[in-house]
Amino acid sequence: MAQIEPTDKGKKKKGAQKKMAIHVDFTPMVDMNMLLITFFMLCTTMIQSRTMQIILPSNDKNIKEEQKTQADASEAITLILDTEYDSHNLPLKDANGNTLHRIFYYEGIPDSINANTAGKKVVSKGAIQIERFIPEEGEGNKGIRAILRDRHKEAMDNYDKLKAQWRNKEINKQQFDSLAKLNATDEKLKHPIVIIKPGPNATYESLIYAIDELNLNQVRRYSIQRPDKTDSALIRKFSAANPSLNVMRPNVR
């Protein structure tokens, strides 16, 4: 609190103004500041870190060490991401302004002997096939979304039933989220393992699209890797069988 004290030093002339000594006590202000700081520290929500869930290798003692990071051929599907560019090295866009991305994919063990022809009957699932990201327009699944759904059919059928129960208010949002999480990791169901490999011309957008498609299809087991020599050989063989697709081209980024 502030205090004003008159000072009287010696004799003063008649009519002279009295001088006042002002003393300000800052102790209550300091106490108030400390109380405010404590209040804001207790009431403030700190920034929570956002992390991506990582599927760790199995720790089963019956599995050999070299097998813990390997995927079963019947469960694996590899996606090699690619973005299309024009003659000016700019990403191609469709009529709606969406960047054109395509995906080279193969299932299980890569087949470097056979080659598939786009638009014709598949010769080998282990050989490269081509598909696109297709935006949602109307009902049904198309593009890579349909392929991933087919590989995760049992879990997705259960997921659709859970969504119907939620929409019909048979279960609430919290129950739906909990049951959906259990469904995506149910060991009784067959779950695919997706290996995402961004190609040299792929954009960051295509990687985000790929992860979105996995989330939409309840796929929880996936990894992101670089294309290797085997992938390059598969693409070259596919390019030779499909010259009109302009698959092989120099890096534009």
Side-chain angles (χ1 to χ4, degrees), residues 8 17 38 62 71 86 114-115 133 141 143 153 162 164 181 198 210 226 228 231 238:
D8 187 8
Q17 185 177 2
T38 304
N62 296 322
D86 59 19
N114 299 298
F133 292 112
N141 297 295
K153 189 175 186 308
L162 291 174
K181 185 176 181 180
R226 290 184 177 181
D228 53 25
D231 300 321
F238 180 80

Side-chain angles (χ1 to χ4, degrees), residues 7-13:
T7 58
D8 187 8
K9 296 181 180 180
K11 296 182 179 180
K12 295 184 178 180
K13 296 181 179 180

Side-chain angles (χ1 to χ4, degrees), residues 58-73:
S58 173
N59 61 354
D60 190 346
K61 295 181 179 180
N62 296 322
I63 300 178
K64 294 181 180 180
E65 189 67 28
E66 63 271 14
Q67 295 177 332
K68 289 185 178 181
T69 56
Q70 294 180 355
D72 191 336

Side-chain angles (χ1 to χ4, degrees), residues 165-182:
Q165 291 177 355
W166 176 40
R167 289 169 181 169
N168 295 331
K169 298 183 178 180
E170 298 175 13
I171 57 176
N172 57 35
K173 184 64 166 62
Q174 186 177 2
Q175 291 173 322
F176 169 75
D177 291 338
S178 177
L179 292 172
K181 185 176 181 180
L182 291 174

